[in-house]
Amino acid sequence: MTAAPVWTLLVVCAAVTASVPVQRNDPETQEHCGYESCLPVKDGMINVHLVPHTHDDVGWLKTVDQYFFGSQNNIQKAGVQYILDTVVEELQHDPKKRFIYVETAFFWKWWNRQDDSHRHQVRKLVQQGRLEFIGGGWSMNDEAVTHYQSTIDQMTWGLRRLNDTFGKCGRPRVGWQIDPFGHSREMASIFAQMGYDGLFFGRLDYQDKMNRLSSKTAEMVWQASDNLGKDAELFTHALYNHYSPPPGFCFDVLCDDEPIIDDKHSPDYNVDKRVERFLAFVQNQTKRYVTKNIILTMGGDFTYQDAKMWYSNLDKMIRYVNLRQANGSNINLLYSTPSCYLKAVNDAKLSWTTKQDDFFPYASDSHAYWTGYYTSRPTIKYFERLGNNYLQVCKQLYALTDLGPEDQVDLNALREAMGVMQHHDAITGTEKQKVAFDYARILSRGIAECNIITNTAFNKLVPLRKEYPTPVWENCLKLNVSQCAPSEESKNFVVTVYNPLAQVISPYIRFPVTGSSYKVQDAKGNSLPTQLVPIPEPVQNIPGRMSEATQELVFRAVNLKPLGFQSYFVSEVKSEESNTYISDESNASGNFGHKTYYYTTNRRGVLKTLTTHGVKFQVAQAYGYYEGAVGDNEEAINRSSGAYIFRPKSSTPKIMPNRSQFKTFKGPLVSERHEVINDWLSQIVRIYTDEQHTEVEWLVGPLPIKDGVGKEVIVKYMSELSSKGKFYTDSNGRELLERTRNARPTWHLKLEEPVAGNYYPITSRILLRDTDKKLELAVLTDRAQGGSSLKDGEMELMLHRRLLHDDAFGVGEALNETAFGKGLVARGKHYLVGGPSGNVLTVYERQLAQEKLLTPWLFFSRADKYSFESWSKTYRMEFDGVKMPLPANVHLLTLEPWKGRSLLVRLEHILEKGEDPKLSKSVTVSLKNLFSPFEIVSARETMLGANEWKKDSSRLQWKTESNSIDRHEDTHQGSLNHAEDILSVTLEPMQIRTFVVEVKYADSESCKMKKYLSELIESLLISEPSSQSNDNDPSSMVQAKQDVED
């Protein structure tokens, strides 16, 4: 064999091929999916769209695997694999039958177990529109406590799987949010930006529903953004009967309803009776909607495990109802899907009412406000937020270091785990305890798999020579309880601080240590100022904490580069060699903070006034708890507080006496007040030098229950602001919504639960504004929580819940979390920002929210065998992933490996219109020279979900009744500027733009192979020729070398 063929296999250093949204063409099956596949409706008749469906929770009463495989049926009879098996079998028998499926996590698990024959059958059904995917996310995500970044990610991953497998016929056209407990404006905006034509949901406030059904406004155009215009408008339908079939018409193994018996010789013949009852329901529903189309959801939770039962009865119902048309009936039944119903409604060409707010809070009756789950299971809510932080780090490092496709398996584990976590019974905390443990297991496994990615990436970036040993890069996921083995056990260790933002930041870094004096050196060998701060005793005593550390070491990572890292060599040294400041301890009152941002206290040390930006105003804080209501749940007035429901026994909380013990610790980097309020409640009030906000780190638990009373713990932030009954909350971390106490924007509210009925989801911040004094006070959170402003000048946030009774909405157990044999302890942070209302403060809040969502990630490497000098000569200690920081109003939302070796990039404008005179305007970014490790050579814009090219997207158009707001037809049709700079991207306020990009790496694997082979050829040129062939003939070797270089 000659060597020549080897050289022909080599590739040159070039751009990778961009992945495109797939369009599949099966030569045996012509595609008639989407609206083309809809069965015809009949003009002049009431067309009843029967939608066979199943709602499959990705965990709730059973774990994900138990639901899929059908185990533990003593808990709930549910096996998803059997649903898909029997549905596919039944659909093949009749081209008129339809079925929709929603949860890609389950479908993908089933698909991977099918042989080629079954896959071909399924593809055929999808291409003919008989099996249609609706929603399409990895799970049916919650809308109250999910962050928009995680929602976009989980939707994108589900859509990606469908697109790769089925092409355009796997692309959902409508959102199907039938079970989440209320609906956010941002979620509607996301659906619209992904190209969806409509949204169907099942739950809205009982008063709102009655009002909308009576006024025939259960269908509307949701104007889901004050900034994006028509790009964020979405036709929305509130389902008539939740997502259930008409009462008495559940033809499932899980139901006891009578089948349709059409044997006239049978004594049980019931066709006429059943048809009459069915038509009565249809007539009632018809009165509540404005077109000659209604939709009936024929299915429910885990239905169709024996699909033949459903279809045989539905066939009969369609037959016998439609036979009555010959006698003058105007009712026409047909198999349909939500998409086909939507198209029929659109064809009516009516004008629709509009909506601009959201559907929170959700109440199912006068005493059942579903606002408890905004806080339920606070530790899993924090763990999910941590998982998102690490997922972005993993995806970025993967893209920046050009890892091969073999590593995507490890990345996908965390992608999928985070997709599961967004499910409306996962992050919400409304699952059984054993399922919560399983969610934590899934997320822990995903993080562990991603550790392989980060270690591989760093070991590709960091060693200065190939032959140098590769360090281990450890995570410390328990830093929130001041526990970190590498920093506690090693005398010398390296902290590598990675910045996942595309802006320069200077964060304060802290971790537990066991020594008394330390030296921290940056990449240039400079010794940094450090400070040792005691770990409060309540933290040291957290059940399950395995640490001997009693202090934390603090230093500042100054000018941390965008998408880059800096490594710091930390060594325990003698005090005379250290630059460590031991915090001064005091229990005296006085000013607390630094020169431009500080509090004054009264004689007892209680915080009294805050001075910031040259303005002084009163501010105070108090902790308390509500006692959870207890009842038998047999009627509304006897509803218990539980995992879903927040129902306090009294509208007045029990406020903790303001007699806390406190100690103050001051130093050059940070000042802290450690306060112990009682034996289960404490906090640290922390102000870092040069920062303009207060960090409040709260610690709650174990909550006492010996008195037999469930407790729901709150914190109040009180000020002098005259807020006039108004406050503002974020929608999934993006746009702000104005709230009015004791009111709703679209109907007259009758409120019997004055506390729970005023609670709203706080995904990232809540704030007050005093328009007279022009002051603003905001609280940012580190996880989703419930909150409100129940009095002017006050904000209230719920931190933790421990309840002893179930609220009877299905989970079947009390929200009584324990760990290590005691009640669960939760620890978290609030960030208090205040000052003059206006541009500077608003921008500061937005940027702070981004910094706390994607905090710098710390990697620890043990270095006991190294000195700073030997480490710095062996390993790279600095890296810049971005050549130039993005503008202050632009956020790099996504950088991740896509298909093949292409990348997915999302940029977003983080400000709303009018928030800043300069930064709230359009901004242009050049992609071409943005990233350091690679050059973007081409980019194609997609819809937000990355499953359809932007230029190919076409949405149904809807006419609205309201013209009060000028909403332009093509508000954000901006595209890449091909005329001047092919990679110049313009963003308008709140706009997100998504691109699949081709890149050329500066030091790609192919380039490395080229260099290696060139060196090899050079060595061969001076070696002795082989006696067996002329393969090493210099002329052929020179030609081979030229081939490689070409």
Side-chain angles (χ1 to χ4, degrees):
M1 180 180 289
T2 64
V6 175
W7 309 122
T8 63
L9 296 175
L10 299 175
V11 295
V12 297
C13 264
V16 302
T17 302
S19 171
V20 301
V22 177
Q23 292 191 4
R24 292 187 175 274
N25 289 303
D26 189 332
E28 300 180 18
T29 308
Q30 189 174 2
E31 293 184 348
H32 288 289
C33 54
Y35 300 131
E36 294 179 9
S37 67
C38 298
L39 298 177
V41 296
K42 290 188 176 181
D43 292 338
M45 291 196 173
I46 302 298
N47 291 283
V48 181
H49 296 252
L50 302 179
V51 177
H53 81 102
T54 179
H55 173 59
D56 299 341
D57 288 306
V58 186
W60 179 39
L61 308 182
K62 302 199 295 187
T63 68
V64 178
D65 279 356
Q66 288 168 356
Y67 272 137
F68 180 79
F69 291 110
S71 62
Q72 299 290 308
N73 279 341
N74 59 313
I75 299 173
Q76 187 178 9
K77 188 175 182 180
V80 173
Q81 60 176 331
Y82 308 121
I83 296 172
L84 290 165
D85 286 344
T86 63
V87 165
V88 168
E89 177 67 25
E90 288 301 310
L91 289 178
Q92 294 179 74
H93 299 326
D94 181 359
K96 292 185 178 180
K97 287 185 170 63
R98 297 291 185 269
F99 194 79
I100 62 169
Y101 201 73
V102 181
E103 294 85 6
T104 305
F106 278 139
F107 179 82
W108 194 248
K109 201 176 187 72
W110 178 83
W111 177 260
N112 285 333
R113 288 164 170 77
Q114 305 308 303
D115 58 29
D116 288 342
S117 175
H118 279 90
R119 289 186 177 190
H120 176 76
Q121 293 169 1
V122 174
R123 282 198 176 99
K124 182 178 178 179
L125 294 172
V126 173
Q127 288 167 346
Q128 294 178 349
R130 293 151 68 183
L131 174 61
E132 182 176 336
F133 294 102
I134 301 294
W138 198 247
S139 64
M140 185 184 295
N141 60 270
D142 176 65
E143 300 186 35
V145 297
T146 47
H147 192 275
Y148 73 94
Q149 184 170 50
S150 295
T151 296
I152 292 171
D153 273 357
Q154 81 90 15
M155 288 295 301
T156 300
W157 189 241
L159 296 175
R160 156 84 179 271
R161 289 304 199 191
L162 296 178
N163 189 65
D164 288 354
T165 309
F166 302 106
K168 70 174 185 179
C169 289
R171 186 181 306 140
R173 301 302 304 176
V174 301
W176 187 250
Q177 294 289 100
I178 57 175
D179 201 28
F181 326 125
H183 303 280
S184 75
R185 193 172 75 166
E186 187 59 34
M187 189 68 228
S189 178
I190 287 171
F191 276 128
Q193 293 175 69
M194 288 182 172
Y196 286 62
D197 286 321
L199 167 65
F200 294 78
F201 64 71
R203 298 185 190 269
L204 71 164
D205 186 280
Y206 74 104
Q207 295 181 55
D208 192 9
K209 185 172 185 177
M210 288 189 294
N211 178 61
R212 289 187 177 278
L213 290 177
S214 63
S215 62
K216 291 190 175 184
T217 56
E219 293 177 312
M220 72 215 80
V221 173
W222 200 344
Q223 296 174 337
S225 171
D226 294 332
N227 300 277
L228 301 179
K230 281 191 172 291
D231 284 357
E233 289 189 358
L234 189 69
F235 183 85
T236 302
H237 175 106
L239 292 168
Y240 181 73
N241 192 39
H242 197 192
Y243 55 84
S244 303
F249 293 91
C250 178
F251 305 117
D252 198 89
V253 292
L254 303 177
C255 301
D256 298 324
D257 296 344
E258 286 294 313
I260 296 174
I261 303 171
D262 59 353
D263 181 356
K264 291 187 176 181
H265 298 291
S266 170
D268 296 323
Y269 175 83
N270 63 3
V271 170
D272 295 337
K273 180 177 69 175
R274 300 289 277 149
V275 167
E276 289 293 341
R277 182 177 177 183
F278 185 85
L279 289 177
F281 183 90
V282 167
Q283 294 291 355
N284 283 334
Q285 182 169 336
T286 300
K287 297 174 184 176
R288 306 302 182 184
Y289 295 85
V290 297
T291 74
K292 291 185 177 298
N293 295 274
I294 64 169
I295 184 172
L296 297 187
T297 48
M298 305 306 293
D301 290 358
F302 299 98
T303 51
Y304 288 80
Q305 293 176 71
D306 182 356
K308 186 175 180 62
M309 287 183 64
W310 272 102
Y311 284 115
S312 62
N313 282 279
L314 290 176
D315 283 345
K316 293 177 183 179
M317 183 62 70
I318 292 171
R319 177 188 175 191
Y320 292 115
V321 169
N322 290 351
L323 279 174
R324 294 195 174 197
Q325 294 172 13
N327 296 322
S329 170
N330 70 336
I331 304 299
N332 179 55
L333 268 59
L334 68 155
Y335 282 115
S336 190
T337 67
S339 301
C340 292
Y341 170 81
L342 191 73
K343 183 63 168 63
V345 170
N346 183 261
D347 287 343
K349 301 187 184 306
L350 301 179
S351 294
W352 302 93
T353 186
T354 60
K355 180 179 177 64
Q356 291 79 36
D357 59 313
D358 61 7
F359 289 94
F360 289 120
Y362 163 59
S364 52
D365 62 51
S366 57
H367 296 282
Y369 279 86
W370 297 50
T371 54
Y373 80 92
Y374 300 162
T375 299
S376 295
R377 301 193 190 278
T379 57
I380 206 165
K381 284 178 167 63
Y382 172 75
F383 194 23
E384 182 277 335
R385 196 67 64 89
L386 196 69
N388 175 67
N389 196 164
Y390 195 43
L391 177 59
Q392 307 313 316
V393 170
C394 273
K395 293 193 296 188
Q396 291 175 7
L397 285 173
Y398 193 117
L400 293 171
T401 56
D402 188 24
L403 300 186
E406 64 276 6
D407 295 301
Q408 287 230 22
V409 174
D410 304 315
L411 180 58
N412 292 350
L414 187 51
R415 279 170 163 162
E416 293 173 4
M418 284 298 296
V420 168
M421 289 304 301
Q422 306 317 305
H423 169 58
H424 59 270
D425 282 308
I427 188 173
T428 54
T430 54
E431 65 274 22
K432 281 186 177 293
Q433 183 62 60
K434 70 167 190 175
V435 180
F437 290 148
D438 193 62
Y439 285 140
R441 177 194 65 82
I442 292 170
L443 185 51
S444 296
R445 175 182 169 273
I447 290 173
E449 292 289 322
C450 243
N451 289 344
I452 299 172
I453 296 290
T454 54
N455 269 267
T456 304
F458 276 117
N459 288 330
K460 192 173 181 180
L461 283 174
V462 169
L464 295 176
R465 294 181 64 89
K466 283 184 179 180
E467 60 270 22
Y468 288 163
T470 54
V472 175
W473 310 86
E474 298 183 56
N475 280 324
C476 284
L477 299 180
K478 295 184 179 180
L479 285 173
N480 66 317
V481 295
S482 297
Q483 178 180 324
C484 178
S487 67
E488 297 174 37
E489 298 171 358
S490 301
K491 297 292 185 181
N492 292 345
F493 56 94
V494 174
V495 182
T496 298
V497 184
Y498 177 80
N499 175 17
L501 297 175
Q503 283 85 18
V504 176
I505 58 174
S506 296
Y508 283 91
I509 309 301
R510 61 191 303 146
F511 43 80
V513 291
T514 53
S516 59
S517 186
Y518 286 86
K519 184 177 184 180
V520 176
Q521 294 171 273
D522 65 13
K524 295 179 175 60
N526 299 317
S527 182
L528 303 183
T530 58
Q531 183 177 340
L532 281 172
V533 183
I535 298 172
E537 190 173 330
V539 176
Q540 295 183 44
N541 295 332
I542 291 175
R545 180 177 181 266
M546 300 175 65
S547 172
E548 298 299 321
T550 59
Q551 297 184 99
E552 288 185 328
L553 185 67
V554 181
F555 68 91
R556 193 171 198 181
V558 178
N559 294 330
L560 192 58
K561 298 297 173 36
L563 268 65
F565 67 77
Q566 293 183 25
S567 292
Y568 299 88
F569 195 89
V570 183
S571 49
E572 186 177 353
V573 296
K574 296 178 181 179
S575 58
E576 59 268 22
E577 302 174 32
S578 170
N579 197 14
T580 300
Y581 186 91
I582 308 299
S583 300
D584 294 327
E585 180 179 345
S586 169
N587 58 4
S589 59
N591 290 355
F592 171 70
H594 55 77
K595 184 183 298 185
T596 61
Y597 186 94
Y598 61 89
Y599 291 89
T600 60
T601 61
N602 62 18
R603 294 177 181 176
R604 292 181 291 123
V606 177
L607 300 180
K608 186 177 180 182
T609 65
L610 170 64
T611 298
T612 175
H613 298 97
V615 176
K616 178 188 290 187
F617 58 95
Q618 294 179 356
V619 63
Q621 184 201 38
Y623 285 91
Y625 66 88
Y626 294 100
E627 294 184 352
V630 176
D632 59 13
N633 299 308
E634 292 296 323
E635 52 184 324
I637 193 68
N638 294 329
R639 180 71 60 191
S640 289
S641 201
Y644 300 94
I645 305 303
F646 169 38
R647 188 173 181 231
K649 182 179 177 181
S650 168
S651 296
T652 303
K654 294 184 179 297
I655 299 299
M656 299 291 99
N658 203 341
R659 296 190 295 270
S660 62
Q661 304 172 15
F662 72 92
K663 294 180 180 178
T664 302
F665 299 91
K666 297 182 179 181
L669 301 182
V670 63
S671 295
E672 298 187 356
R673 283 171 54 94
H674 296 186
E675 301 182 26
V676 178
I677 298 162
N678 58 33
D679 57 1
W680 52 265
L681 180 60
S682 63
Q683 70 171 5
I684 301 172
V685 180
R686 183 179 292 130
I687 301 174
Y688 288 105
T689 300
D690 295 332
E691 291 195 340
Q692 299 297 311
H693 64 269
T694 307
E695 183 175 296
V696 178
E697 191 162 25
W698 47 267
L699 178 67
V700 181
L703 294 178
I705 56 171
K706 289 183 178 180
D707 56 3
V709 176
K711 297 173 180 63
E712 316 197 45
V713 181
I714 60 161
V715 60
K716 287 178 177 284
Y717 295 96
M718 299 164 286
S719 72
E720 64 185 79
L721 272 62
S722 176
S723 48
K724 301 176 182 177
K726 306 286 186 182
F727 59 104
Y728 301 83
T729 67
D730 66 297
S731 182
N732 301 111
R734 290 205 91 213
E735 298 187 20
L736 286 176
L737 289 172
E738 183 182 88
R739 311 296 191 183
T740 302
R741 190 163 54 248
N742 299 326
R744 302 289 186 267
T746 57
W747 84 92
H748 179 69
L749 177 66
K750 296 179 180 179
L751 196 58
E752 295 187 45
E753 293 289 338
V755 177
N758 278 303
Y759 256 57
Y760 290 87
I762 315 299
T763 311
S764 67
R765 63 174 169 155
I766 179 174
L767 61 92
L768 301 175
R769 287 173 178 157
D770 186 327
T771 55
D772 296 329
K773 296 181 180 178
K774 292 183 169 47
L775 292 176
E776 181 172 313
L777 188 65
V779 178
L780 282 68
T781 64
D782 67 346
R783 72 200 73 189
Q785 294 175 328
S788 186
S789 174
L790 299 175
K791 294 181 181 178
D792 280 2
E794 288 188 8
M795 290 176 286
E796 174 176 309
L797 288 155
M798 186 175 289
L799 307 178
H800 196 1
R801 316 177 74 217
R802 190 181 187 187
L803 299 164
L804 306 181
H805 297 270
D806 180 37
D807 52 23
F809 280 104
V811 75
E813 63 184 34
L815 184 67
N816 183 9
E817 293 185 277
T818 59
F820 305 99
K822 298 182 178 181
L824 181 73
V825 174
R827 193 183 191 205
K829 294 178 181 177
H830 288 161
Y831 306 94
L832 189 67
V833 182
S837 299
N839 317 329
V840 174
L841 198 64
T842 300
V843 173
Y844 187 84
E845 288 172 15
R846 292 275 184 189
Q847 293 174 336
L848 183 62
Q850 293 293 343
E851 290 181 24
K852 299 309 176 184
L853 174 73
L854 298 180
T855 61
W857 197 269
L858 307 187
F859 295 92
F860 294 84
S861 301
R862 302 172 194 251
D864 288 317
K865 296 181 180 179
Y866 290 86
S867 63
F868 168 79
E869 288 73 19
S870 60
W871 182 277
S872 61
K873 290 178 180 178
T874 307
Y875 303 111
R876 186 181 194 176
M877 296 185 69
E878 290 182 303
F879 171 76
D880 301 347
V882 172
K883 291 181 180 178
M884 290 289 293
L886 287 178
N889 53 357
V890 177
H891 172 53
L892 179 66
L893 181 63
T894 302
L895 174 63
E896 66 178 283
W898 201 230
K899 305 171 192 175
R901 300 182 76 81
S902 62
L903 303 179
L904 187 68
V905 175
R906 287 191 183 95
L907 297 174
E908 68 164 321
H909 197 306
I910 65 170
L911 292 180
E912 297 192 52
K913 292 178 181 178
E915 289 188 329
D916 186 272
K918 295 181 179 179
L919 296 179
S920 287
K921 298 185 181 300
S922 63
V923 58
T924 300
V925 175
S926 174
L927 291 177
K928 184 174 178 62
N929 297 311
L930 179 59
F931 299 98
S932 300
F934 56 81
E935 175 187 351
I936 295 178
V937 296
S938 68
R940 292 191 67 184
E941 186 166 12
T942 72
M943 299 301 286
L944 182 59
N947 65 331
E948 184 180 22
W949 297 124
K950 178 89 169 180
K951 68 179 183 62
D952 295 336
S953 178
S954 177
R955 300 173 63 211
L956 297 179
Q957 298 299 306
W958 304 89
K959 185 179 180 181
T960 60
E961 295 175 352
S962 172
N963 292 313
S964 58
I965 299 176
D966 183 17
R967 304 177 74 85
H968 299 291
E969 290 290 330
D970 299 305
T971 309
H972 291 109
Q973 290 300 314
S975 61
L976 292 174
N977 187 346
H978 291 280
E980 299 177 6
D981 181 354
I982 62 168
L983 294 172
S984 179
V985 179
T986 299
L987 295 163
E988 303 294 336
M990 281 286 118
Q991 188 180 17
I992 302 174
R993 298 184 67 183
T994 306
F995 303 93
V996 174
V997 302
E998 294 183 7
V999 301
K1000 181 170 67 178
Y1001 282 90
D1003 190 22
S1004 67
E1005 287 298 324
S1006 58
C1007 293
K1008 292 178 181 177
M1009 180 62 73
K1010 170 183 168 182
K1011 180 180 179 182
Y1012 169 72
L1013 289 172
S1014 296
E1015 293 173 350
L1016 176 63
I1017 291 167
E1018 291 289 352
S1019 68
L1020 290 173
L1021 285 173
I1022 61 174
S1023 66
E1024 293 185 6
S1026 169
S1027 60
Q1028 297 178 353
S1029 71
N1030 65 349
D1031 290 349
N1032 290 333
D1033 180 84
S1035 61
S1036 64
M1037 296 302 296
V1038 170
Q1039 182 59 49
K1041 180 182 179 185
Q1042 187 62 46
D1043 290 343
V1044 172
E1045 293 176 341
D1046 288 343

